Amino acid sequence: MTISITPLAAELRPRRLSEIIGQEHLTDPGKPLARMVAKQKFQSTIVWGPTGTGKTSLVRSLAHETNSNYCPLNATKATIKDLRSVVSAAEKAIENDKRTFVFIDECHRWNKSQQDVLLPVVEDGTIILFGATTENPKFAVNSTLLSRCLILEVKPLDVQALIKVIKKVKEHFKTKGRKIEIDKDAAKTLIYRCSGDARKLIMALETTIEILSDDDHVTLEHVNEAIPDKHLVFDASGSERYDLAHCYQESIQNSDADAAIYWLAKWIESGEDPAYICRRILITAFEDCAGNPLAAPMAMAACYATERTGLPECDIAMALATCEMAKSKRNKSAYKAIREARADVRNGETIHVPPELRAGTPGYYAAIRKTYLIDWERDVSALEPDG
């Protein structure tokens, strides 16, 4: 008996651009990668986007369709020796009229030593570099690399694309003489819980078919066992937390309470630190809701409740503050006032404290009395004993 150790996702990996599902904005005729193949002209490229969306498959398909050498490396593991070996092989390949695609996974972790080896040969075309990252390259990738590369974004697979992936899995088993049946509610749940990640969907489906089901019939119960929770992608040190913060604040600025609550819920479920969310709630209350006298106190109350109770109870206080802020008309008067005043202090005419307002002068105390309506003689005499 031959033991198969290859995961189904690896078996189903596309070998041509036309087989890739969900990235038609890159692979359809006339789109960037399809044009590269059609014209046989290639540009070093950084492909970025969520996991399980086909970044590696895109590069492997390009290499296969153009009969190019394909050298995969991981930025966290590749040594200088590995990189020099790749460069040497690429130089020999050119002598045989063959190009080399070097695929660098996790390219945002590239260090300077690695760059020093490869960047010159990227620039002169000895290799075609393809970097893959889940981070936004604008913030995560070194500028020296960005200046030499085209930037392309892959997108999470939508429902229709994931349905195509399920059909592809069923066709695969059909070629092996097995007819797979998947209940509609099972398929729907599986699609929603995989959050646009094709690899996660294939893995979960393989688990239900090969391990959990005894008759090639996939039910909702099987799906709940294979993937009991929704697959939420979140990296507190990456760009996702700032994307969620932006969506949350933008919803409040647009007075869209439903959207603000949704993004708050997704933020919480993603595993973000509630203290960080409360920090954004406070900032939003003071920055965007200056016209609502309740916004700031409710934001501070949410912070206090979060500190005192934690999850899950504090989500109610956070939701209450969010609703109050979203009901407010957008008012950035305090934000604009302090920004303009500080800019004036930095760049405008220097204004010194006038003599009558300097500390220790009669004018200073007169100004204080006027400001706070204090009657010093009356208040002091009240402290003297009778008689």
Side-chain angles (χ1 to χ4, degrees):
M1 178 180 177
T2 302
I3 299 176
S4 175
I5 61 172
T6 305
L8 182 59
E11 283 192 50
L12 296 181
R13 189 182 292 278
R15 293 178 61 83
R16 305 184 67 83
L17 288 181
S18 59
E19 297 174 3
I20 292 175
I21 297 172
Q23 306 303 332
E24 289 79 11
H25 64 293
L26 300 178
T27 61
D28 274 358
K31 301 304 180 182
L33 295 182
R35 281 183 172 272
M36 285 188 187
V37 174
K39 294 188 174 185
Q40 292 295 295
K41 297 290 185 181
F42 299 92
Q43 172 67 50
S44 291
T45 303
I46 294 177
V47 184
W48 75 282
T51 58
T53 51
K55 296 186 291 295
T56 304
S57 294
L58 285 169
V59 182
R60 288 171 63 102
S61 298
L62 275 175
H64 180 261
E65 283 197 63
T66 58
N67 194 31
S68 302
N69 290 338
Y70 174 73
C71 298
L73 296 170
N74 189 297
T76 61
K77 298 178 181 179
T79 65
I80 299 298
K81 183 179 179 181
D82 295 331
L83 300 176
R84 293 192 186 281
S85 176
V86 166
V87 172
S88 178
E91 290 171 341
K92 292 179 181 178
I94 290 177
E95 296 175 2
N96 297 320
D97 200 26
K98 200 167 187 178
R99 67 176 62 85
T100 299
F101 288 175
V102 178
F103 178 70
I104 305 288
D105 201 12
E106 304 291 338
C107 68
H108 60 281
R109 300 184 185 276
W110 231 23
N111 62 43
K112 187 176 183 303
S113 296
Q114 291 169 311
Q115 289 187 59
D116 289 342
V117 174
L118 288 188
L119 289 186
V121 291
V122 169
E123 193 161 2
D124 66 20
T126 301
I127 66 170
I128 306 298
L129 176 68
F130 283 90
T133 175
T134 56
E135 300 294 325
N136 188 331
K138 293 179 181 178
F139 308 112
V141 177
N142 294 326
S143 59
T144 51
L145 181 58
L146 286 179
S147 67
R148 292 165 171 82
C149 294
L150 180 69
I151 310 297
L152 298 177
E153 181 182 2
V154 293
K155 299 177 181 179
L157 276 66
D158 60 19
V159 171
Q160 295 303 316
L162 291 175
I163 289 174
K164 292 179 182 178
V165 174
I166 292 177
K167 290 180 178 178
K168 188 173 183 178
V169 171
K170 293 178 68 175
E171 286 296 322
H172 170 78
F173 281 100
K174 187 176 181 180
T175 62
K176 297 180 179 295
R178 298 172 63 179
K179 183 179 180 181
I180 306 300
E181 295 183 5
I182 305 175
D183 290 348
K184 287 185 178 180
D185 55 348
K188 181 179 179 180
T189 301
L190 183 62
I191 288 171
Y192 286 165
R193 287 184 181 172
C194 288
S195 301
D197 186 331
R199 183 169 52 235
K200 185 73 174 179
L201 184 145
I202 294 172
M203 183 279 296
L205 199 50
E206 180 183 21
T207 301
T208 61
I209 294 170
E210 299 285 29
I211 299 175
L212 301 177
S213 174
D214 294 324
D215 55 3
D216 289 343
H217 181 194
V218 177
T219 67
L220 179 59
E221 182 181 355
H222 294 142
V223 172
N224 285 333
E225 290 182 56
I227 182 168
D229 300 308
K230 192 170 186 178
H231 177 56
L232 294 174
V233 179
F234 182 76
D235 179 4
S237 62
S239 60
E240 183 75 8
R241 77 174 342 183
Y242 305 110
D243 291 341
L244 287 171
H246 176 77
C247 288
Y248 174 77
Q249 190 165 358
E250 189 80 10
S251 299
I252 290 173
Q253 290 174 349
N254 292 325
S255 300
D256 190 340
D258 290 338
I261 288 293
Y262 174 82
W263 292 116
L264 173 64
K266 183 169 184 178
W267 214 356
I268 293 171
E269 290 295 327
S270 295
E272 177 62 272
D273 181 0
Y276 179 81
I277 299 177
C278 281
R279 177 174 176 268
R280 300 303 306 181
I281 289 175
L282 270 177
I283 292 170
T284 303
F286 286 106
E287 181 177 332
D288 297 308
C289 307
N292 183 352
L294 294 178
M298 293 190 73
M300 291 191 291
C303 293
Y304 177 78
T306 298
E307 181 182 341
R308 297 290 293 177
T309 66
L311 287 172
E313 292 84 357
C314 69
D315 64 355
I316 303 171
M318 295 162 79
L320 187 61
T322 297
C323 288
E324 183 61 39
M325 291 189 296
K327 290 192 309 182
S328 309
K329 290 185 177 180
R330 188 177 185 184
N331 185 326
K332 299 178 77 74
S333 56
Y335 172 84
K336 291 179 179 178
I338 191 62
R339 290 293 178 271
E340 291 176 8
R342 292 186 67 178
D344 194 39
V345 170
R346 288 193 303 268
N347 307 314
E349 179 184 352
T350 299
I351 299 177
H352 299 284
V353 177
E356 65 273 16
L357 293 181
R358 292 174 185 166
T361 64
Y364 170 80
Y365 291 112
I368 292 295
R369 287 199 298 274
K370 183 177 180 181
T371 302
Y372 294 100
L373 302 177
I374 297 175
D375 188 330
W376 289 102
E377 291 187 3
R378 180 197 65 199
D379 292 343
V380 172
S381 63
L383 297 175
E384 296 176 354
D386 293 339

